[in-house]
Amino acid sequence: VVRPVALIAGPTFDGSERFRHTYAKLHVFNQTAYARIVFVDADAFVLRDVAALFLLGDAWWLAAAPDHGMKLQRDPARRFNTGVVSARPDATRFATLMRRLAAHD
């Protein structure tokens, strides 16, 4: 299912055309009609069955791959790739993320 969402302005990528849609990915947390969302960027290649990403337990509110383009040795938990994400939607979490993002401006 493809659902259009509004862009979300973010502090990190102002003026960077390449990453202007990055924060719109936060909308996965607001898709509460679904138990779990697996988001795949348009430029990602799915090479294997991704069904297991839909079967993660409730404790896994977010699962993502490490971003190998970043320096992982400096806190790998904070540096992940948003190109493929498995998330459990939660309106409260979405609202919290939006408040934190607005406070960052």
Side-chain angles (χ1 to χ4, degrees):
V1 176
V2 175
R3 296 202 183 261
V5 296
L7 293 180
I8 297 174
T12 305
F13 303 116
D14 285 340
S16 176
E17 186 66 21
R18 178 176 176 216
F19 295 112
R20 71 186 169 104
H21 300 295
T22 298
Y23 286 97
K25 296 174 186 182
L26 293 174
H27 282 291
V28 299
F29 294 106
N30 206 28
Q31 302 298 314
T32 57
Y34 305 98
R36 181 156 298 273
I37 300 286
V38 174
F39 176 89
V40 180
D41 266 348
D43 63 349
F45 292 101
V46 177
L47 300 174
R48 296 184 190 134
D49 184 0
V50 296
L53 296 175
F54 288 99
L55 302 174
L56 296 174
D58 285 344
W60 291 88
W61 64 271
L62 175 69
D67 191 336
H68 296 292
M70 304 295 284
K71 295 182 179 178
L72 294 175
Q73 62 271 28
R74 292 175 65 205
D75 193 2
R78 301 182 105 200
R79 300 175 191 269
F80 57 90
N81 188 300
T82 60
V84 178
V85 171
S86 176
R88 185 169 36 93
D90 180 310
T92 302
R93 181 166 278 122
F94 178 73
T96 299
L97 290 168
M98 293 300 97
R99 277 194 308 275
R100 288 183 179 178
L101 189 58
H104 193 279
D105 285 343

